[in-house]
Amino acid sequence: SQTIHQWPATLVQPVGSPLSLECTVEGTSNPNLYWYRQAAGRGLQLLFYSVGIGQISSEVPQNLSASRPQDRQFILSSKKLLLSDSGFYLCAWSWLGEKLFFGSGTQLSVL
Amino acid sequence: AQRVTQPEKLLSVFKGAPVELKCNYSYSGSPELFWYVQYSRQRLQLLLRHISRESIKGFTADLNKGETSFHLKKPFAQEEDSAMYYCALRSDDKIIFGKGTRLHILP
């Protein structure tokens, strides 16, 4: 069966520090991969999605970036975090853009 | 531009009463719509999708292209329905969500 792993579960980082959140999927090949940010009152905001290795589509201009170095690995990064980057980050996968399967999320607090 | 609108942040309904969670969308093509649910301390998960035309946990949703709506309905609310509900729209490989509605079932 397929599983999705996302870590860390919580992260506290100072303003200006770098960020790296990792997401991996097991049990499937060539999944579509997604990064969302969940914030109170703003719902689920699509940040990035990828349909293949090295293929990244960005939805929201910001100081975050995403990379897909391997088929089942999706990384969310930042060179310098801002206070406004605080939030709950969710990774998800789907097969050909169908039903989404979500990870357990990362609560990021930028202080 | 694609957009999903859920006008209610919070909906409180008495147990046994009917439930309707509203969802409107903006999309120029033929839409594919979903409802996702997040129960307390659980992961976000798919509840139902319009192309399946199914009923899950007593919930149904009908796509109304004329009104560009995909409202979620249940005739008799149960306490275990309390959760956060998100409407979502798929455009090719992109899947966008509304802001969500918290459903609170009152005893």
Side-chain angles (χ1 to χ4, degrees):
Chain A
S1 64
Q2 303 89 0
T3 55
I4 178 169
H5 302 282
Q6 188 180 343
W7 68 93
T10 59
L11 190 60
V12 180
Q13 292 284 100
V15 169
S17 64
L19 172 73
S20 181
L21 300 181
E22 191 161 340
C23 173
T24 59
V25 180
E26 296 177 357
T28 188
S29 297
N30 197 30
N32 285 4
L33 296 170
Y34 303 81
W35 277 111
Y36 290 90
R37 180 165 55 202
Q38 188 176 31
R42 300 188 63 181
L44 276 167
Q45 183 184 33
L46 178 61
L47 302 175
F48 303 94
Y49 67 99
S50 170
V51 299
I53 296 174
Q55 300 178 59
I56 308 295
S57 297
S58 174
E59 287 299 301
V60 182
Q62 58 209 334
N63 72 323
L64 297 173
S65 63
S67 62
R68 185 170 178 173
Q70 300 180 44
D71 181 44
R72 290 169 289 180
Q73 185 184 29
F74 205 25
I75 299 172
L76 183 69
S77 304
S78 174
K79 291 182 180 178
K80 289 185 178 182
L81 283 168
L82 305 173
L83 286 173
S84 57
D85 292 324
S86 293
F88 191 65
Y89 290 82
L90 282 166
C91 181
W93 76 272
S94 76
W95 177 245
L96 298 178
E98 301 265 319
K99 170 182 176 180
L100 282 169
F101 295 89
F102 284 89
S104 53
T106 296
Q107 182 66 53
L108 172 66
S109 299
V110 182
L111 306 177
Chain B
Q2 305 100 346
R3 184 178 296 171
V4 177
T5 302
Q6 293 179 252
E8 303 140 329
K9 286 186 178 179
L10 173 66
L11 183 65
S12 295
V13 174
F14 283 102
K15 178 182 174 182
V19 175
E20 184 179 48
L21 298 171
K22 291 184 167 53
C23 173
N24 289 90
Y25 66 90
S26 174
Y27 183 56
S28 58
S30 183
E32 186 172 351
L33 288 150
F34 307 80
W35 276 99
Y36 282 80
V37 61
Q38 188 168 29
Y39 301 103
S40 179
R41 290 184 292 277
Q42 293 187 28
R43 297 187 186 191
L44 194 59
Q45 59 187 290
L46 178 69
L47 180 61
L48 54 79
R49 49 191 299 193
H50 91 270
I51 62 172
S52 301
R53 303 183 71 82
E54 58 199 343
S55 174
I56 303 294
K57 298 184 179 183
F59 284 98
T60 58
D62 292 318
L63 178 62
N64 186 322
K65 292 185 178 180
E67 296 183 357
T68 60
S69 69
F70 187 56
H71 302 329
L72 183 68
K73 299 178 182 179
K74 184 171 182 175
F76 307 103
Q78 298 172 283
E79 288 191 56
E80 54 264 35
D81 296 329
S82 291
M84 193 73 182
Y85 291 80
Y86 291 94
C87 184
L89 179 148
R90 175 190 167 192
S91 167
D92 295 323
D93 294 301
K94 187 166 78 172
I95 302 173
I96 61 171
F97 287 78
K99 293 185 178 182
T101 298
R102 180 164 296 283
L103 177 62
H104 181 47
I105 305 301
L106 303 167

